[in-house]
Amino acid sequence: MTNSLTADNVSVAGTGPAGQGSAEDLKKGPSLRRVATASLVGTTIEFYDFFIYGTAAALVFPTVFFPNMTPMLSTVASFATFGVAFLARPLGSVVFGHFGDILGRKRTLVWTLLMMGIATLFIGLLPGYETGVFGFFESGIGVWGPVLLVIMRFLQGMAVGGEWAGATLLTAEYAPPGKRGAYAMFPQLGAAIAFFLSSGTFVVVFLAIGETSNAFLEWAWRIPFLLSIVMVFVGLYVRLAIQETPSFKKEQERRAEDKANGVRRTLPFMDTIRYQWREAMTGGIALASLFSLFYMGTSYLTSYGTSKLGLERIQILAVGMVAAIIFGAAIAASAAISDRIGRTKVILTSTVLAVLWTPALFWVLDFGTIWHFALGLTVTMVIFGISYGPAGAMLPEMFRVDLRYTGAGLAYNIAAILGGAIPPLIAAPLAEAYGGLAVGLFLAAISLTSCIAVTRIRSNHEDDIDEHNQLVRESDALAKP
């Protein structure tokens, strides 16, 4: 496939079957820079909403929603609600992947952004366990508070489950050959920016009201959640300005031809399971290490630093902001390098480093100083960033265009369950019973499994993203009985 996208200021809206557009289309279309901005802004907002929940789960929710439990059990219960989102993510990837593969990337991404924004807003309005509502529940809303929290968290998980694949497809399908890693980096950078913003928002709140003030637990923790709705409107404005990708436009033409010829297609999810289930499972296991490092770093270590090490919350959040900057640099560097040496080599490097680092992580943290905490968090996030940068291009490259939204999203969210949902739930009781070393060994085992899976993935970084996967598609069609 010929591709005319050779510079940031080249218009992409008029890209047709041969990758070319009319002069009129070129004047109307958005630049590749705008596409990158749309994916970056969208994932930043989605992950900001996701991360402020993780911060609140560590600092606030054990007291506000689970006040009658022991500290350890309330922490486990709080992170259980955090983990609910990971269970919802595969469902989100299936539901939104279906619409993304049939109706288009742009429209689907608008709905994921709206769902995330509304769910986050409602979390900021939820009453706590002992809080009444409009004169009712005089002794407090009780268990209904945690129940509503779980529902909103489930919706957050569905939204993120449908968001990531669409955002990476925007850039990967527009990017010129040989530069997919560099362009698919932009939605990945959203995670680093969101981590910085979520930590920074809580720091500002602490500075405004005081870290020990009861006002934080009573109402001030809600401010970051309520402010997110403003960011959602910004994201919608940017996303509504872009158009569908060239790859999807070509797929629409193929669908129209199939319909005219009487060819019936099954659901994208069913075809993904039938034809590319190996890619979905292998990709998910390969990225499990990535998630185990990230969500331990962005949520559990915050809880560990305050409850186990006795560090000040504002110090931990400030360290998180610095780590986020270094983390973002690691994402950008590794994504660019993957265009030269391949995605799998870079991701394999990250998983090997994770196997070596995670057993030492809690040994470093248990020195108990803020400097050791900063070292532990930063190294963890950098190792994660090395694999996260290339992941935005690797998964889309693994799937054919008509299944790409569903397949990439499914693989990504299988990794989220294996590496993001399970470790935070196991870490607290494991650390309580056996100490931090046991948690580190558990994380090392996940990373070792990812190492093996990465070696099973063929790097397609030099191939045309559509021509390569069209061959896969034709091979599947020949094998179909």
Side-chain angles (χ1 to χ4, degrees):
M1 183 182 80
T2 304
N3 197 317
S4 60
L5 306 180
T6 57
D8 284 351
N9 61 351
V10 175
S11 176
V12 293
T15 307
Q20 301 292 338
S22 68
E24 183 178 352
D25 286 336
L26 289 173
K27 292 178 182 178
K28 294 179 180 178
S31 69
L32 188 53
R33 185 181 291 115
R34 184 182 297 175
V35 172
T37 301
S39 65
L40 173 62
V41 171
T43 54
T44 297
I45 294 167
E46 297 260 12
F47 280 106
Y48 169 83
D49 290 353
F50 211 68
F51 292 159
I52 57 175
Y53 190 102
T55 303
L59 302 179
V60 179
F61 292 165
T63 302
V64 173
F65 291 103
F66 307 100
N68 297 329
M69 297 181 178
T70 65
M72 193 274 284
L73 287 178
S74 65
T75 300
V76 171
S78 181
F79 279 113
T81 67
F82 183 78
V84 163
F86 293 98
L87 300 179
R89 288 174 71 149
L91 177 61
S93 68
V94 171
V95 172
F96 290 112
H98 170 84
F99 292 113
D101 281 327
I102 292 179
L103 299 180
R105 297 20 173 157
K106 172 186 170 178
R107 279 191 276 181
T108 304
L109 286 171
V110 168
W111 282 106
T112 62
L113 190 60
L114 282 173
M115 178 180 283
M116 174 61 83
I118 293 170
T120 304
L121 176 66
F122 272 93
I123 290 174
L125 297 173
L126 282 179
Y129 189 94
E130 298 175 345
T131 305
V133 182
F134 300 121
F136 298 98
F137 305 103
E138 293 183 1
S139 60
I141 196 172
V143 70
W144 287 107
V147 168
L148 292 172
L149 182 67
V150 167
I151 293 173
M152 293 302 106
R153 184 61 175 166
F154 187 87
L155 293 177
Q156 278 192 324
M158 281 197 66
V160 170
E163 160 69 23
W164 183 86
T168 55
L169 261 56
L170 277 183
T171 50
E173 291 184 344
Y174 269 129
K179 294 185 179 180
R180 278 193 301 273
Y183 283 109
M185 163 196 73
F186 285 96
Q188 307 299 79
L189 280 177
I193 297 171
F195 187 35
F196 179 89
L197 291 176
S198 62
S199 298
T201 304
F202 279 102
V203 166
V204 171
V205 171
F206 281 136
L207 290 175
I209 67 170
E211 185 176 354
T212 59
S213 171
N214 290 331
F216 180 72
L217 291 177
E218 290 174 357
W219 59 268
W221 66 268
R222 302 176 185 276
I223 295 175
F225 290 88
L226 301 178
L227 286 177
S228 69
I229 198 67
V230 178
M231 299 175 65
V232 168
F233 285 120
V234 174
L236 285 174
Y237 173 78
V238 175
R239 283 198 168 167
L240 289 171
I242 61 173
Q243 299 183 28
E244 286 297 347
T245 69
S247 296
F248 182 75
K249 288 181 179 180
K250 291 177 65 176
E251 178 58 23
Q252 282 183 309
E253 293 175 4
R254 281 192 287 262
R255 285 184 179 275
E257 291 175 4
D258 287 348
K259 186 176 181 179
N261 295 327
V263 177
R264 296 182 62 185
R265 294 195 183 189
T266 55
L267 298 177
F269 174 72
M270 299 304 297
D271 275 349
T272 300
I273 297 301
R274 183 170 187 175
Y275 297 121
Q276 293 202 278
W277 65 269
R278 289 183 181 85
E279 286 85 350
M281 289 302 302
T282 305
I285 296 171
L287 298 185
S289 170
L290 172 159
F291 276 96
S292 70
L293 293 173
F294 190 40
Y295 288 104
M296 291 295 289
T298 58
S299 58
Y300 179 73
L301 290 189
T302 301
S303 174
Y304 191 85
T306 54
S307 62
K308 294 291 184 182
L309 305 179
L311 299 173
E312 295 181 8
R313 288 178 290 188
I314 195 169
Q315 285 185 321
I316 289 176
L317 293 171
V319 165
M321 294 174 69
V322 176
I325 296 172
I326 302 173
F327 164 48
I331 290 175
S334 63
I337 292 171
S338 75
D339 279 332
R340 294 177 176 271
I341 67 173
R343 325 293 180 212
T344 55
K345 289 180 181 178
V346 178
I347 294 175
L348 184 61
T349 300
S350 172
T351 56
V352 171
L353 290 174
V355 171
L356 299 174
W357 167 249
T358 48
L361 170 60
F362 287 87
W363 174 77
V364 172
L365 294 175
D366 286 344
F367 278 92
T369 71
I370 190 62
W371 300 108
H372 286 92
F373 182 87
L375 175 63
L377 177 61
T378 303
V379 173
T380 300
M381 297 300 287
V382 166
I383 294 174
F384 162 71
I386 292 172
S387 58
Y388 196 58
M394 184 186 77
L395 288 185
E397 289 170 346
M398 293 173 65
F399 295 90
R400 65 194 213 193
V401 64
D402 59 323
L403 308 179
R404 189 171 291 152
Y405 203 128
T406 300
L410 189 60
Y412 187 77
N413 291 299
I414 288 172
I417 290 180
L418 297 177
I422 297 174
L425 292 179
I426 295 177
L430 201 61
E432 184 84 9
Y434 303 105
L437 178 61
V439 179
L441 292 174
F442 173 61
L443 296 177
I446 294 176
S447 296
L448 182 60
T449 305
S450 291
C451 276
I452 298 171
V454 172
T455 63
R456 308 297 298 172
I457 297 175
R458 178 182 178 273
S459 185
N460 303 319
H461 68 288
E462 294 180 339
D463 298 339
D464 183 286
I465 192 171
D466 291 325
E467 288 182 358
H468 166 77
N469 286 293
Q470 184 64 18
L471 294 175
V472 174
R473 180 178 181 173
E474 291 168 356
S475 175
D476 289 338
L478 291 173
K480 187 175 181 179

